[in-house]
Amino acid sequence: MNLKMNEFIENLQKVVARRNVITHPDKTEHFRTAYRSGVGEASCVVKPNSLIEFWNVLQLCVKYDKIIFIQAANTGLTQGSTPAGPYDRDVVIINTLKMNKIFLLNNNEKALCFPGCSLSNLEKKLEPHGRLPHSVLGSSCFGASVVGGVCNNSGGALVHRGPAYTELSLFARINEKNELELVNQLGFDLGNDPVKLLERLDKSFPKNLNINLKTEGKKNISYEQIVRDVNADTPARFNANPNCLKDASGCAGKVAVFAVCMDTFPAHARLKTFYIGTNDTVQLQRLRKSVLEKFNSLPVIGEYMSRPTVEVSQMYGKDLSLIIKFFGSNAINKLFFLKSKFDDHFARLFKKENISDYILQFFCDLLPCILPKRIQFFKKKFEHHLILKMENNGIEEARFFLEKFFNKENGDWFECNKNEAKSAEINRFVTAAAVIRKKNILDDSTGPILALDIALKRNEEDWFEILPKTINKDIYNFFYYGHFFCHVMHHDYILKEKISPEIIKKKMLKILDKKGAEYPAEHNVGRHYVAKKQLAEFYRELDPTNTFNPGIGGLPTGRDYT
């Protein structure tokens, strides 16, 4: 470590507690490693306790000319909050999890969330007030942050909502003169002095302060109308949609977000889940169109899974499913951190990666299938599965429709009891982790995972992918799942040994381009996709010096995008 770096580290330790500046490579590895794949280098990891500490850390990073990566739980699937390199400056990772305050405003209709606040934190905070956050269950299972969802325009499973979006945010950016500036778009006056403003938010928040600025403008206000337009020749939602790019929304870490103010939503008075199975993709598409065009009530969720996806989730996500079911989603992030520590330690001892996966899967294999019997029966009988959750009057509407829509030949359905509904949803939302576990168990006998996040056109009839032989021959396993009514699909492929994911991805993206699909749909470009022109220009405008998260979306990693 050179003298300049020593000086920088010493100054950081004056701003935050010494224990919150991590420099040893073994201890920073967890923060430098992406959830699905990819590990980069960083000089240090800093964990500020407060917004004012966060601001002061940023000031030091600018003064000492550091590249800045900001992350919370680091649960992104496209390596969007971890370094990749190579870079022309030292990299500093700022982890925001310690800054997790939530203030409920406007009679609990809005929530002001600090950068470390998770979706599960917000869900728990809102529960006594009969309110819900923008997204539930899926991302919240893995500790994803509210701010992360906004930065990535994440969509989630809820059919009513569309991408996470707000025009009410507080963020810092580095301008063309390489000066750090605080931008207050929260909709209420907290003064012009950044230090006093942040100190005020850190200490407390004025009670009964209403936000006067409404979240309007480019917001996806009419998402329900958008998703119902099943004849439209464009996708319902996707990351690069210019209507959802503003300040913190869609920024992908190109600014430092201190807080966002989000709408909250009334909790459901009544809920009922229907489990649907069919072997006919055309029949399932007819169901989608009928529900979106004719139902008075939109579904709460409509989650598709192919049979191999149901199987991989119940086999390789069994332990995760049980933890979520009995201990809740709050336990997941801590357990993943412990798992990472365990794997790091034993990898150095035995020169083998992901040892915990072998141990956990050994015990999982001793357990019987944890899916309820009726879901197991459908898994054997049907190739395509749909979890349909309805609320209030939509329950009777769906029941009446399904009784007439299916006969025993073209598909079947049943109303879930509470255990079946919970098990079905959890089995869907552990899929990504289950695919990773399966790949880790297979180890070197296969190639890497290739994951695509696709927004199909709303009028797309051929929604179920059938790959040409030239691509199919190079794939070991494939798993299809997604938010069916939004036509947002997730395709995970385990490739055969020695097959290049980049070559396969190029071939697949050409097919998607011909179909008029957009990608990514909700996971952000990260290091896996090339940002389209308008999105790239948005990143450059937010961060003209290329200090925050350089290299995202295939942009240059050098200073000033050189």
Side-chain angles (χ1 to χ4, degrees), residues 85-124:
Y87 301 107
D88 57 355
R89 293 152 286 170
D90 295 321
V91 171
V92 175
I93 296 173
I94 301 175
N95 185 276
T96 64
L97 284 178
K98 290 179 177 289
M99 300 173 286
N100 58 3
K101 287 184 179 180
I102 303 170
F103 299 103
L104 299 183
L105 309 169
N106 289 29
N107 196 29
N108 308 313
E109 292 180 358
K110 290 189 181 291
L112 184 73
C113 302
F114 282 19
C117 159
S118 70
L119 279 165
S120 55
N121 293 150
L122 180 56
E123 191 174 357
K124 189 175 181 180

Side-chain angles (χ1 to χ4, degrees), residues 15 50 61 69 81 138 166 168 234 266 283 305 320 330 385 390 395 419 427 437 463 472 521 529 531 556:
V15 169
S50 64
C61 288
F69 281 80
S81 60
T166 182
L168 308 177
T234 56
Q283 186 75 359
M305 300 176 78
L320 200 53
N330 285 328
H385 297 240
M390 303 298 298
I395 296 170
N419 177 55
N427 194 59
R437 167 74 63 80
W463 61 271
N472 195 54
Y529 299 91

Side-chain angles (χ1 to χ4, degrees), residues 34 88 116 175 198 215 247 258 265 272 284 426 452 472 505 526:
D88 57 355
N175 62 27
L198 295 172
T215 309
D247 297 334
F258 284 74
F265 303 86
K272 175 63 74 173
L284 210 54
I426 292 175
L452 295 182
N472 195 54
K505 182 167 73 172

Side-chain angles (χ1 to χ4, degrees), residues 511-551:
I511 296 172
L512 293 173
D513 288 337
K514 289 180 181 178
K515 291 171 73 74
E518 291 280 353
Y519 48 83
E522 60 181 6
H523 289 161
N524 204 274
V525 289
R527 306 283 182 279
H528 293 187
Y529 299 91
V530 174
K532 293 187 176 180
K533 183 179 179 182
Q534 193 162 0
L535 183 61
E537 288 174 353
F538 175 64
Y539 293 157
R540 289 174 183 268
E541 182 181 347
L542 288 176
D543 181 27
T545 64
N546 204 22
T547 297
F548 290 105
N549 207 0

